[in-house]
C-alpha cells in the first residue's frame, strides 16, 4: 500500500552559493510559502515536422521528429515578507548591484547592476521525503529573474519570486545537510508601513512593484546551461492615490504625468527612512 502525502507536508529551503553555476549549496534556511509550488524540470523538445510517411509525428533513436533538447528548470515562490527573508532573493536578482553597509545594523542596499555577469547562485529544495530517502526535488544554479512586491489593506507585504536554474534533480536525499529552519523575524504588515510621495506622507490602499533583470540562460554548444546573463533592468508598478489626499490627491498625479514630472515614492517600515532610500527597498 502506497503511503499518502498531503500538501502541508512540503518544506522549501534555499541555499546561497558563490562558487559557480553547477556547484550546489546546502540549504541554509526554510521559507514558508503560500503557493505550494512544483519544480518544473524545463526540458525542451526539438520538434520539427518531417517527411516520415505518417500523419503522426515520430520519435526513435534516429534523427526523426522529436528529440530531447536543453533544459532550464523553473519555479515560482510566493511568501509573506519579513525584514530577514527577502535579502537572499534580492541579492540573486541584483547580483553585482547588491552590497552591505559597514555599520553594525548591516543594512542591505540593492541598486541596478552595471554588468551582466552573475556570481551568486541559489539552490532550491522541495523536501518531499524524510532523510535517508532520495526523493526530494532540487534546482541547482538558480537565479531570480523577477520579484513582485505587493501589499493591500489588512494584509502582509507579499513577494512573488520567479527563478530559472541550471539543473533539476528528483532524487535529492536531504539528510542532515539541508536546513529548513524558518526565520524568526515578524512579517511586515501593510498597516505599519509609511509611504511618502515627493516628501509628503500619504495614505494609500496598497501598491504593486515588479523588478526584473530579464536574465538569459546561455547554452552555446552544451546540453546544460553555461551561465545566466542579466539583461535590461526594468521596474514597473502602480499605486492608487485617494482623490481627497491632501497635496498629492485630486488631479496632482494626472497633471504631473501630463507635464512629464518625475515623482519620488518611498515605502518603509521601522523608525524612519534610511539614507539613499531611492536606491534601495
Amino acid at each position: 500500500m502506497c503511503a499518502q502525502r498531503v500538501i502541508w507536508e512540503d518544506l522549501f529551503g534555499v541555499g546561497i552559493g558563490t562558487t559557480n553555476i553547477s556547484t550546489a549549496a546546502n540549504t541554509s534556511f526554510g521559507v514558508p510559502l503560500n503557493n505550494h509550488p512544483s519544480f518544473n524540470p524545463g526540458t525542451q523538445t526539438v520538434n520539427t515536422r518531417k517527411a516520415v510517411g505518417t500523419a503522426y509525428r515520430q520519435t526513435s533513436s534516429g534523427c526523426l521528429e522529436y528529440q530531447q533538447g536543453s533544459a532550464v528548470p523553473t519555479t515560482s515562490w510566493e511568501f509573506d515578507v519579513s525584514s530577514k527573508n527577502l535579502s537572499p532573493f534580492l541579492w540573486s536578482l541584483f547580483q553585482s548591484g547588491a552590497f552591505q553597509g559597514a555599520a553594525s545594523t548591516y543594512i542591505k542596499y540593492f541598486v541596478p547592476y552595471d554588468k551582466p555577469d552573475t556570481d551568486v547562485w541559489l539552490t532550491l529544495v522541495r523536501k518531499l521525503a524524510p532523510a535517508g530517502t532520495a526523493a526530494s526535488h532540487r534546482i541547482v544554479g538558480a537565479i531570480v529573474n523577477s520579484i513582485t512586491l505587493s501589499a493591500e489593506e489588512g494584509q502582509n507585504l507579499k513577494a512573488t519570486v520567479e527563478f530559472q536554474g541550471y539543473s533539476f534533480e528528483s532524487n535529492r536525499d536531504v539528510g542532515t545537510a539541508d536546513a529548513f529552519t524558518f526565520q524568526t523575524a515578524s512579517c511586515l504588515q501593510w498597516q505599519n508601513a509609511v509611504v511618502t510621495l515627493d516628501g509628503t506622507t500619504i495614505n494609500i490602499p496598497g501598491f504593486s512593484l515588479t523588478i526584473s533583470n530579464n536574465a538569459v540562460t546561455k547554452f552555446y554548444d552544451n546540453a546544460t546551461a553555461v551561465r545566466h546573463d542579466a539583461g535590461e533592468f526594468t521596474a514597473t508598478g502602480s499605486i492608487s492615490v485617494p482623490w481627497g489626499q491632501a497635496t498629492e490627491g485630486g488631479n496632482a498625479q494626472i497633471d504631473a504625468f501630463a507635464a512629464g514630472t518625475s515623482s519620488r515614492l518611498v515605502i518603509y517600515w521601522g523608525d524612519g527612512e534610511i539614507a539613499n532610500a531611492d536606491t534601495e527597498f
Side-chain angles (χ1 to χ4, degrees), residues 57-245:
R57 299 195 179 195
Q58 297 188 37
T59 182
S60 73
S61 57
C63 185
L64 294 183
E65 295 172 300
Y66 287 121
Q67 293 91 38
Q68 181 174 324
S70 55
V72 181
T74 60
T75 190
S76 177
W77 288 11
E78 298 175 9
F79 56 91
D80 292 341
V81 176
S82 74
S83 60
K84 295 290 187 181
N85 64 7
L86 188 60
S87 292
F89 305 109
L90 289 174
W91 187 11
S92 176
L93 176 75
F94 283 84
Q95 292 290 324
S96 61
F99 61 97
Q100 181 171 277
S104 59
T105 51
Y106 302 112
I107 295 173
K108 309 298 190 295
Y109 295 88
F110 304 96
V111 301
Y113 42 82
D114 57 7
K115 60 180 182 179
D117 301 357
T118 55
D119 50 20
V120 178
W121 302 274
L122 304 179
T123 297
L124 312 174
V125 174
R126 181 187 184 191
K127 183 180 179 182
L128 295 170
T133 302
S136 293
H137 293 177
R138 181 167 76 165
I139 294 177
V140 174
I143 66 166
V144 173
N145 59 52
S146 75
I147 293 179
T148 297
L149 299 170
S150 61
E152 59 184 48
E153 293 173 303
Q155 298 296 317
N156 298 323
L157 176 65
K158 298 184 183 300
T160 300
V161 184
E162 305 290 340
F163 302 91
Q164 61 195 67
Y166 163 80
S167 65
F168 168 78
E169 304 168 4
S170 61
N171 60 348
R172 173 65 174 171
D173 180 357
V174 296
T176 58
D178 292 313
F180 297 90
T181 304
F182 299 135
Q183 302 278 8
T184 58
S186 300
C187 296
L188 298 177
Q189 295 181 296
W190 181 238
Q191 65 194 38
N192 297 325
V194 177
V195 183
T196 66
L197 185 60
D198 293 327
T200 300
T201 300
I202 61 173
N203 295 311
I204 60 175
F207 80 102
S208 178
L209 172 66
T210 298
I211 309 169
S212 178
N213 60 21
N214 293 287
V216 176
T217 300
K218 304 296 292 184
F219 293 90
Y220 300 114
D221 53 348
N222 293 272
T224 55
V226 174
R227 70 172 193 260
H228 305 298
D229 285 344
E232 182 181 3
F233 180 89
T234 60
T236 60
S238 64
I239 62 170
S240 296
V241 180
W243 179 267
Q245 178 71 53

